[in-house]
Amino acid sequence: MTHWFHRNPLKATAPISFNFYGVATTPAATKVCNDLRLSRTRLLELFTDSSCNPEMMKNATDLYFSLLQGFILSLDDSSQECKLRYIQNFKWTDTLQGQVPNAQQDAVFELVSMGFNVALWYTKYASRLAGKEDITEDEAKDVHRSLKIAAGIFKHLKESHIPKLITPVEKGRDLEARLMDSYIIQCQAEAQEVTIARAIELKHNPGLIAALAYETANFYQKADQTLSSLDPAYAGKWRKYLNLKTCFYMAYAYCYHGQTLLASDKCGEAIRSLQESEKFFAKAEALCKEYGETKGPGTTAKPSGHLFFRKLGSLIKNTLEKCQRENGFIYFQKVPAEAPQLELKANYGLVEPIPFEFPALNAHWTPEMLAAFDLTKRPKDDTTKPKPDEEVKPLKEPDIKPQKDSGCQIS
């Protein structure tokens, strides 16, 4: 079963040379700086390389982050911060707020910004894989795992590293709690979509599928509510996606709950449940159109033309017709005016983020290496100060060609 996921653009960043002439006083110190520059450049290249896989990404991130930690961690396990933490200015754009960068002279800002992009890459990798026509079981597992890894990275950044920033995060910026929470919840919800697809394919109990769909709809609703106080100019398109997925999985929940009721000889209630499913599906269809018409950051698509959407529409229609036939021939039950209350709790299949930790400090960082950086040799004329309105070029993300059945066009 193919999937369709909304994706915001990657963060863009200014190139960093790590050239500390005079400050790096030994060849070994100069080499570490060169390794930092090369590993950072390589990692940024992989973000937009459509042939990159999770193993390549992990190797590149482990190398860069292990080297970058030398600018952050104290070598003697003391609470004292590293003397190199504020030596370099870093500039990063936001996923939602255009190409004017936010700049901070802080290696922790680089750590969390690059980490954020790594998490985004895992979501985009999952999205590319999930949109394939004939996704295999192993590929579905890769999608599921990648989304859980992304959720784990976002969670780790939010809880352990963003609070260490000296400059507080501005409202509406990527690293702000509301956005971080929404990204975490969205990753969990999308991973559960893969679980639901698998449960349907294996013809699991309709009660379990209904419960999973209901929990997933609640995830999407929670992610949307988290973004509700953000400027619609930035978050409007993203929220349309979260709204339509909420309605879509509520439609799924009522559809499969209807099947459960029918199996329990509650045909009247089953019909009412399917009617409610139809209502949510119609809402989702309207939101699909609104999503396509809403301007803002993110992918451009026509989700109502996607196979995953069309399949549910047929399922609701066929199941409702079956219930109505059964009621007309066998049950003759009254259809309730009120829709059944969904008090469903899934005991299986709920997604938790995979815990994430940054790699250990690279072995090149020794007390002797740190001593080889002499901050008294820094030039007095500090040219690293940011130019406030300087633009950073956006990353050229790989085109994702729409599959025949997907109805998706990625810009």
Side-chain angles (χ1 to χ4, degrees), residues 6 8-9 94-98 172 174 179 183 227 230 233-235 238 297:
H6 168 93
N8 292 325
D94 271 23
T95 55
L96 300 181
Q97 295 200 23
D174 283 341
L179 275 84
Y183 275 115
L227 296 175
L230 287 177
Y234 299 132
W238 190 6

Side-chain angles (χ1 to χ4, degrees), residues 11-12 15 24 77-78 87 104 135 147 149 161 178-179 197 220 243 249 278 295 317 334 369 392:
K11 294 165 77 68
D77 294 325
S78 71
I87 194 173
Q104 291 191 33
I135 184 167
L147 290 166
I149 289 171
H161 296 281
R178 289 175 296 179
L179 275 84
Y220 278 118
N243 275 323
Y249 279 97
E278 270 191 329
K295 288 183 167 54
K317 180 174 178 289
K334 185 180 178 182
M369 177 67 75
V392 171

Side-chain angles (χ1 to χ4, degrees), residues 29-49:
T30 303
K31 184 181 184 304
V32 160
C33 293
N34 193 48
D35 289 346
L36 267 164
R37 177 177 58 79
L38 293 174
S39 59
R40 186 181 198 263
T41 302
R42 175 59 179 153
L43 182 50
L44 291 171
E45 286 170 354
L46 286 180
F47 287 147
T48 57
D49 182 350

Side-chain angles (χ1 to χ4, degrees), residues 2-306:
T2 59
H3 299 269
W4 166 74
F5 303 133
H6 168 93
R7 290 292 174 260
N8 292 325
L10 287 162
K11 294 165 77 68
T13 182
I16 302 293
S17 67
F18 292 102
N19 286 333
F20 302 121
Y21 298 118
V23 175
T25 61
T26 66
T30 303
K31 184 181 184 304
V32 160
C33 293
N34 193 48
D35 289 346
L36 267 164
R37 177 177 58 79
L38 293 174
S39 59
R40 186 181 198 263
T41 302
R42 175 59 179 153
L43 182 50
L44 291 171
E45 286 170 354
L46 286 180
F47 287 147
T48 57
D49 182 350
S50 57
S51 66
C52 180
N53 60 41
E55 185 182 1
M56 293 165 66
M57 180 55 62
K58 185 174 187 324
N59 290 338
T61 53
D62 281 356
L63 177 58
Y64 180 59
F65 288 135
S66 72
L67 288 166
L68 184 65
Q69 298 271 44
F71 280 49
I72 299 167
L73 298 178
S74 168
L75 295 183
D76 58 4
D77 294 325
S78 71
S79 58
Q80 193 173 356
E81 63 188 21
C82 179
K83 69 179 185 180
L84 300 178
R85 176 172 171 179
Y86 306 108
I87 194 173
Q88 176 68 55
N89 192 65
F90 298 95
K91 296 175 191 170
W92 284 91
T93 63
D94 271 23
T95 55
L96 300 181
Q97 295 200 23
Q99 295 309 309
V100 177
N102 185 13
Q104 291 191 33
Q105 198 146 326
D106 186 351
V108 173
F109 179 63
E110 167 73 358
L111 184 80
V112 295
S113 298
M114 189 69 85
F116 187 101
N117 249 18
V118 171
L120 269 188
W121 180 85
Y122 275 101
T123 71
K124 287 170 181 276
Y125 174 76
S127 183
R128 280 202 300 278
L129 209 53
K132 290 176 65 175
E133 254 178 85
D134 301 310
I135 184 167
T136 66
E137 184 179 338
D138 284 343
E139 286 170 335
K141 286 178 181 176
D142 276 351
V143 172
H144 197 254
R145 180 170 175 77
S146 294
L147 290 166
K148 291 195 294 180
I149 289 171
I153 296 172
F154 284 129
K155 188 171 188 285
H156 182 64
L157 294 176
K158 175 180 178 272
E159 293 176 355
S160 302
H161 296 281
I162 293 172
K164 294 176 185 174
L165 288 169
I166 298 298
T167 307
V169 179
E170 294 175 34
K171 287 187 176 180
R173 291 282 187 177
D174 283 341
L175 305 178
E176 201 226 316
R178 289 175 296 179
L179 275 84
M180 296 300 291
D181 284 338
S182 287
Y183 275 115
I184 294 164
I185 298 163
Q186 181 179 330
C187 288
Q188 290 176 276
E190 289 173 348
Q192 281 186 197
E193 289 194 46
V194 180
T195 305
I196 291 167
R198 180 73 176 156
I200 291 169
E201 190 182 335
L202 295 177
K203 296 182 169 53
H204 277 297
N205 184 313
L208 172 63
I209 297 169
L212 278 171
Y214 183 61
E215 302 264 22
T216 303
N218 286 338
F219 264 143
Y220 278 118
Q221 186 176 40
K222 186 179 175 185
D224 174 57
Q225 287 169 348
T226 306
L227 296 175
S228 61
S229 53
L230 287 177
D231 186 341
Y234 299 132
K237 193 174 188 71
W238 190 6
R239 290 193 64 200
K240 290 289 182 195
Y241 166 76
L242 298 170
N243 275 323
L244 79 85
K245 282 289 182 87
T246 301
C247 291
F248 182 79
Y249 279 97
M250 284 300 289
Y252 247 125
Y254 274 109
C255 179
Y256 278 90
H257 186 55
Q259 292 183 26
T260 305
L261 291 168
L262 181 62
S264 303
D265 296 326
K266 297 176 180 177
C267 197
E269 290 179 43
I271 290 171
R272 186 63 187 87
S273 190
L274 267 298
Q275 288 171 343
E276 197 67 13
S277 179
E278 270 191 329
K279 283 183 188 177
F280 274 107
F281 186 77
K283 279 185 193 175
E285 204 163 25
L287 284 163
C288 282
K289 188 179 178 187
E290 289 174 28
Y291 173 86
E293 293 169 351
T294 303
K295 288 183 167 54
T299 48
T300 302
K302 296 176 181 174
S304 58
H306 197 291

